[in-house]
Amino acid sequence: MKRAAIIVLDGLGIGPCPDQAAYGDEGSHTLGNVARAVGGLQLPNLERLGLGRCRLIPGLAPGVSPTAAHGVALPRSQGKDSTTGHWEICGVILERPFRTYPHGFPTSLLDEFARRTGRGYLGNRAASGTAIIAELGAEHQRTGKWIVYTSADSVFQVAAHEETVGPDELYRACAIARDLLVGEHAVSRVIARPFAGKPGAYERTPRRKDFSIEPVGTTLLDRLAAAGVPRVGIGKVDDLFAGRNIASEHTPTNADAYRLIERALDDTEAGFIFVNVIEFDQTWGHRNDVPGFHEGLKQLDAWIPRLEARLKGEDLIILTADHGNDPTTPSTDHSREAVPILTLGPRVRPVALGERSSFADMGATVAEYFGAASPGLAAGTSFLSGVWA
């Protein structure tokens, strides 16, 4: 009756990694810079787990006796987006990053998208989603044309007002874009971005949907499925793996994710729970909202005892991230950073995990825990024997 979970706190990076400068992210340190911006973090529960011993974070005492195994993992895949990070956690390493389009997509590709969807397009440039919707939303409503944009990540994003183009039509259009964006034009994700409201007060709705490229290798989820291990998804994890061997209930807020984690732990007797907690990235990181990010950290900290109260027997829980998203830098995009690892459970010894060479070590640990490891095929080195009492 084994249960394990990987809880990915999207965008919660913990500072430098060796190739950070090559990505233009030198100086990015999501947790450290937020801590400095607010005069130090007061997060007693995360401090008790050992977050301040993963790396030095202003406000978190490094000398506490931690209750969780603690360390950091360095990114090994090329890229710094959510798909890349989650795939690496699950054992798929990318030797080349997904293609990006900082100057917009080829006109020939967008013309074909317009022909197949029956609507023209606006935008076609790298932009903040909220900003381009504010700028082009009224014209979109007047003309019915799609708002198409990208970012520093490998994404093709399509925004539409729900009263102008219903979500179902938007999803069909994104599925068409997914079919077009393959081969030399392959992008990591096509993202449907429905919004609502009036000009000057537009807001994105919770009905976002991601259309990801299918993983290019065997993932932890594939291995668990082959071994007959049940899998529960919370957040956008199904989208990031193109639905392969994972189904998921999406969560517009962190609070929704925490509630569903509690429900899963209350109801699931055996299996793997895979979670994406979205707002550190989507709501605060991309909008450079330091106060919001800080408040989100306090909410996470306050929830930790509720998580701990549900752990029993041989439960193995890993808290981590997929990349950084430093809200203190001028950029509104993801940042190439190391990620924290906090591993807890009744049988977990609070040892130092050090600096792991890949996010894949976490997936390898879960694979070994369930007896689903495949030496010679999976990336990553399990640390299970080092933490298990």
Side-chain angles (χ1 to χ4, degrees):
M1 304 296 288
K2 288 186 171 184
R3 304 191 304 180
I6 295 178
I7 301 172
V8 181
L9 304 165
D10 202 316
L12 203 72
I14 198 165
C17 53
D19 58 358
Q20 191 175 54
Y23 286 80
D25 292 324
E26 197 167 21
S28 290
H29 189 323
T30 300
L31 275 168
N33 286 343
V34 169
R36 281 181 278 274
V38 301
L41 296 175
Q42 301 299 311
L43 304 172
N45 293 307
L46 288 164
E47 181 180 66
R48 173 174 50 79
L49 291 182
L51 183 59
R53 296 190 63 168
C54 294
R55 279 192 174 161
L56 292 176
I57 306 292
L60 301 184
V64 300
S65 296
T67 59
H70 50 280
V72 301
L74 303 177
R76 188 168 130 202
S77 285
Q78 298 299 304
K80 55 177 182 176
D81 58 81
S82 293
T83 301
T84 302
H86 283 73
W87 284 11
E88 182 171 343
I89 289 169
C90 289
V92 174
I93 306 296
L94 294 180
E95 300 300 331
R96 293 185 300 172
F98 291 114
R99 186 169 179 178
T100 58
Y101 290 86
H103 305 297
F105 298 93
T107 301
S108 58
L109 189 150
L110 283 180
D111 287 345
E112 180 64 11
F113 173 67
R115 187 188 69 80
R116 293 196 191 184
T117 61
R119 294 181 182 273
Y121 56 89
L122 305 169
N124 189 28
R125 62 179 182 272
S128 158
T130 52
I132 201 167
I133 288 169
E135 176 191 347
L136 299 177
E139 184 178 355
H140 153 73
Q141 288 199 274
R142 186 174 65 253
T143 64
K145 296 179 179 180
W146 306 112
I147 300 174
V148 176
Y149 64 104
T150 188
S151 72
D153 299 319
S154 181
V155 292
F156 181 99
Q157 304 191 80
V158 187
H161 194 286
E162 292 190 349
E163 293 179 5
T164 303
V165 183
D168 286 344
E169 184 181 348
L170 173 59
Y171 299 156
R172 287 194 296 271
C174 287
I176 289 169
R178 179 71 277 171
D179 288 342
L180 289 171
L181 291 159
V182 294
E184 65 171 315
H185 295 306
V187 295
S188 169
R189 285 179 291 161
V190 175
I191 306 177
R193 293 286 198 177
F195 65 99
K198 304 294 183 184
Y202 289 129
E203 291 186 352
R204 294 195 292 203
T205 74
R207 283 171 283 278
R208 162 184 170 162
K209 185 174 176 62
D210 293 33
F211 297 75
S212 290
I213 194 167
E214 189 162 318
V216 296
T218 302
T219 72
L220 169 67
L221 299 170
D222 299 332
R223 298 184 194 289
L224 296 181
V229 177
R231 298 155 317 285
V232 176
I234 296 171
K236 64 180 182 181
V237 289
D238 57 343
D239 286 344
L240 295 173
F241 289 82
R244 198 169 84 191
N245 285 318
I246 189 73
S248 185
E249 184 170 348
H250 286 211
T251 52
T253 68
N254 287 5
D256 289 319
Y258 302 151
R259 175 179 55 82
L260 292 184
I261 294 168
E262 291 176 23
R263 187 178 75 183
L265 289 171
D266 290 341
D267 297 345
T268 303
E269 293 185 350
F272 175 59
I273 302 167
F274 195 23
V275 186
N276 176 274
V277 179
I278 198 169
E279 285 196 284
F280 292 112
D281 182 69
Q282 176 178 280
T283 304
W284 305 310
H286 282 305
R287 299 179 186 177
N288 285 350
D289 182 355
V290 173
F293 205 110
H294 184 210
E295 182 61 31
L297 287 171
K298 291 190 287 186
Q299 291 169 0
L300 169 64
D301 189 75
W303 173 73
I304 291 296
R306 297 180 65 86
L307 170 65
E308 293 175 302
R310 287 168 166 78
L311 303 187
K312 58 187 179 182
E314 297 193 354
D315 287 352
L316 176 72
I317 309 294
I318 299 175
L319 294 167
T320 189
D322 52 347
H323 50 71
N325 198 331
D326 189 336
T328 71
T329 64
S331 169
T332 59
D333 294 314
H334 297 159
S335 44
R336 178 82 167 179
E337 295 186 42
V339 300
I341 306 175
L342 293 172
T343 305
L344 54 153
R347 290 189 56 185
V348 172
R349 297 185 295 116
V351 299
L353 296 170
E355 192 172 82
R356 316 295 300 191
S357 63
S358 172
F359 298 177
D361 288 9
M362 292 179 274
T365 299
V366 171
E368 182 182 0
Y369 171 82
F370 281 114
S374 300
L377 292 177
T381 301
S382 171
F383 50 78
L384 185 66
S385 62
V387 304
W388 207 243

